[in-house]
Amino acid sequence: MNPNRILKEYFGYESFRKGQYELIEAILKGQDVLGIMPTSGGKSLCYQIPALLMEGVTLVISPLISLMKDQVDALRESGISATYLNSTLTAQEQRARLEEIKNGEYKLVYVAPERLNASDFLNILMDIRIPFVAIDESHCISQWGHDFRPSYKEIPRFIAKLNQRPILGAYTATATEEIIKDIKEILKLRRPLEIITGFDRPNLYFGVEKGIDKKKYLLDYLRNHQEHSGIIYCATRKEVESLSKELGDKGFSVSMYHGGMGNEERQRAQDSFIYDQSLIMIATNAFGMGIDKSNVRFVIHYNMPKNIEAYYQEAGRAGRDGENSECILLFSPQDVVKQKYLIEITAMQPERELVVYKNLQTLVDYCHTHDCLRMRLLDYFGESSDRVQCGKCSNCLDHREKKNITLEAKKILSCVYRMKEGFGVTMVANVLHGSKNKKILELGFQQLSTYGIMEDYKTKEIQQMILFLVAEGYLGLTEGKYPLVKLTPQSAAVLKGKEEVYKRQDLTVVESTTEAVVHEDLLKELKVLRGKIALEKHVPPYIIFPDTTLKEMAMYLPESKDELLRIKGIGEVKGETYGEAFLHVIKSYMNENNIEAVVSTLDEGSQMKEKGTDKTKTHLVTYALHQQGLSIEEMAEVRACTENTILNHLEKCFGEGLEIDFHGMVDENIERQILEVIHKVGDEYLKPIKEALPEEISYFDIKKVLLKQRSQQAV
């Protein structure tokens, strides 16, 4: 059996995502691997599939109990033998599972790093074949990572004790270059295949809200998303408890989670959230790592976290099923004070402390920049991009004009220079405002020419302006607990009049849309059925089927088992186990509403049962949406892809003889201009055509016209 066959039969997917097949192939050839893939990028398949193709038992080292249980439950539901060893088991259960492992009853065994050197566990491993060890969340091995765990340092010693060194696979979602280097060196990976598929999560909207009433914003947001599941992160236990009580009193379905709660209390809260009994989890950063709840539609940081790595990992718990979801950070200056206090009370080496303060400032810059937020995040993780904007973050979607603040910037830069670059943001702002506090008078700053030259602004407004200049590189800050404001090379360009500075005023709240063309009433019925089955089997609902799978059922209305198996996320085992029940609900809904089948549109010009990676289904799913009358923009939204990708799908469709209706897709005036140019320069290349047209006509317009012409020629 090959990897493609296992992917379809056990996991219900037609094709691998970027990087998955390469990692699996390398492992099967005996090579160590390092896979850095975004949250929900499919890391687990990169060790689960090799485990099924190798003789012996694959060990998966995982940091959290909840992660183990979720993955083992999901594997068992797919007909794969797996188990875990952790502190939730009684001594009798531990002995029984160790005996079962010894007898070869499992293909995958999940274990916490703390348990690796237990003598009873090691004794069992000496008698069985272990071809492969997967280290999940491998960034935990680096002291520079945000989730450093000393127990991960035991992994190399454990590997050395085994009779034969297994193939090693290290996996993580968030790692800078420094952490990647640590992972390879500490684990002693041997010439590993290194796959970095990118850190981007295109389905996530990123937003930063500043200068707002946080509670009012949160209440308004939750009222507008009452049917959605989400996580709200707070910096302290006290805030978690206070916010949970307030939202609970207002009728919201909430659970809370923090490190000060007892184990049983935390477990009840977690289960309530995972099983969709409560829609909102309010928590400190103690919650979330390893939680595989796929239908989290929003993550709101009520307070700013400690660094970008922590933020991106916590925000990344939204939209694990690939559906559009929102990640919003509510910033206030007090958040920085809280984080610095938390750093102060944490014992660490001086060099480590400097790094922590520097990382905090990087996140502060993120909150104040007017650049694309997604590009800022990707740049932090070393992922370069030709794009300047993503079109799906609060900065990109804020189209109001920017105000020219070059004069204000010059005043601030001049003041920093005259204060000899020796003071912090607050002190500089006080001097510019003309404060008469004791320290300013003692230092004689009232004699400076810049003293009081921004008295018309409030001190907080000046501070915000300074932080904006820092975020955009016009100013810099030294590292450490009390950073000093410094000039940068960009400062000179502004002071000499070679560069102007623009800043938006009072960013507005941006609503993102998550529309999808589905039969909503049917989707609700399918969720009720899924919930009933989940309760009977004592597993979270998403273990049965994720929301994306139910959404496809409610969109394409399969009527047979074969059609059901073509829905993303339904393998043969789950199709056999649950197919009849879900098909019954779908057929009943179709009969009651006199609806004809939709899946049949996927059959035209297609052979769905090709062996190996199925490349045909993708464009035919787009064709089904086209037949429902969706525009290119709407299809791109539903498919979570670019509009150019949709055009490529449609081009492939008419190449196979399917009819495309271009009514409303192409502007007649633009089409006329493009055709005139094509007549002169030909239509082989987009660039010569674009160069001969006005700037407002995009490559996208040209592609639509070319597609229409070629479609007509094909017909």
Side-chain angles (χ1 to χ4, degrees), residues 560-659:
S560 68
K561 183 183 173 185
D562 285 343
E563 290 178 352
L564 193 69
L565 289 175
R566 286 158 51 191
I567 298 294
K568 182 174 66 177
I570 303 182
E572 292 184 12
V573 174
K574 286 191 176 182
E576 192 65 41
T577 306
Y578 306 120
E580 187 175 336
F582 281 88
L583 285 172
H584 175 73
V585 171
I586 294 167
K587 289 176 184 177
S588 298
Y589 176 84
M590 292 173 68
N591 290 334
E592 290 171 9
N593 293 277
N594 196 27
I595 296 173
E596 294 183 3
V598 176
V599 166
S600 59
T601 60
L602 299 177
D603 293 325
E604 300 179 39
S606 164
Q607 295 179 355
M608 298 304 295
K609 296 301 179 181
E610 286 185 349
K611 292 182 179 180
T613 303
D614 187 348
K615 299 291 186 182
T616 63
K617 182 177 180 179
T618 300
H619 69 282
L620 291 169
V621 171
T622 298
Y623 185 71
L625 297 176
H626 172 66
Q627 286 195 315
Q628 294 178 42
L630 273 70
S631 67
I632 290 176
E633 293 78 7
E634 289 169 333
M635 286 188 277
E637 181 74 18
V638 171
R639 300 301 316 278
C641 63
T642 65
E643 293 173 1
N644 278 336
T645 299
I646 295 298
L647 285 176
N648 291 336
H649 289 177
L650 295 178
E651 186 173 21
K652 194 169 184 181
C653 288
F654 78 68
E656 296 175 357
L658 301 178
E659 186 177 345

Side-chain angles (χ1 to χ4, degrees), residues 13 526 545-554 567-570:
Y13 296 101
L526 294 174
F545 288 126
D547 280 7
T548 46
T549 298
L550 297 188
K551 213 166 190 179
E552 281 205 8
M553 288 187 205
I567 298 294
K568 182 174 66 177
I570 303 182

